[in-house]
Amino acid sequence: MPPAHDLQQYGVLLLRVALGVMFFAHGFVLKFWTIGMDGSARFFAALGFPGWLAYPTTAAETIGGVMLVLGIQTRWVALALLPVVLGALWVHSGNGWLFEAQHGGWEFPLYLVVLCVAQAMLGAGAGALWPSWPRGVRK
């Protein structure tokens, strides 16, 4: 059985990869590929945001997701993605709690806020290409 510290690092890796895949899927697969950027911009405008905000949001989710999966500056990427998920939380806040509510509830965006904060606190875990802080300096 591996030491507990190794298992913890693999647990953090699992969190990092799952969060990264979710952001990539939401940014690239949903907004860019499925809906398209014009459709995403129209959706943002329908919510009261400037339509152009769809472009940096999609880029942040897509690039941030890839960086999380690869373990590149994980703490900073997780923190940088907080405005995206806080915006989603705000958008869904009036729709009720469950995400299956009409127009989606706020439970899943809140969960993503918590996961981003936890990832920033925990760091990159095992297999990171470029940890936020050198090993041994900060945990």
Side-chain angles (χ1 to χ4, degrees):
M1 184 96 177
H5 180 266
D6 289 348
L7 289 177
Q8 289 172 352
Q9 292 303 304
Y10 286 111
V12 176
L13 163 69
L14 182 62
L15 169 64
R16 186 187 86 220
V17 170
L19 190 59
V21 167
M22 190 288 311
F23 273 112
F24 180 81
H26 200 262
F28 184 78
V29 176
L30 176 66
K31 288 187 178 98
F32 182 78
W33 193 5
T34 304
I35 299 173
M37 291 312 301
D38 289 340
S40 294
R42 284 192 304 274
F43 177 72
F44 272 60
L47 294 172
F49 292 107
W52 62 262
L53 198 54
Y55 294 88
T57 301
T58 301
E61 288 179 334
T62 302
I63 295 167
V66 170
M67 291 177 77
L68 285 172
V69 168
L70 297 175
I72 297 171
Q73 296 296 299
T74 302
R75 293 178 194 264
W76 298 115
V77 171
L79 291 174
L81 289 168
L82 271 176
V84 173
V85 291
L86 287 170
L89 178 61
W90 180 79
V91 165
H92 293 284
S93 64
N95 299 341
W97 177 59
L98 292 176
F99 206 68
E100 67 184 15
Q102 185 176 6
H103 305 295
W106 52 265
E107 80 174 292
F108 188 62
L110 178 61
Y111 183 63
L112 294 175
V113 169
V114 172
L115 292 181
C116 283
V117 170
Q119 190 73 70
M121 293 170 70
L122 292 169
L129 293 182
W130 184 14
S132 301
W133 294 308
R135 288 191 193 273
V137 175
R138 295 185 186 172
K139 298 280 178 188

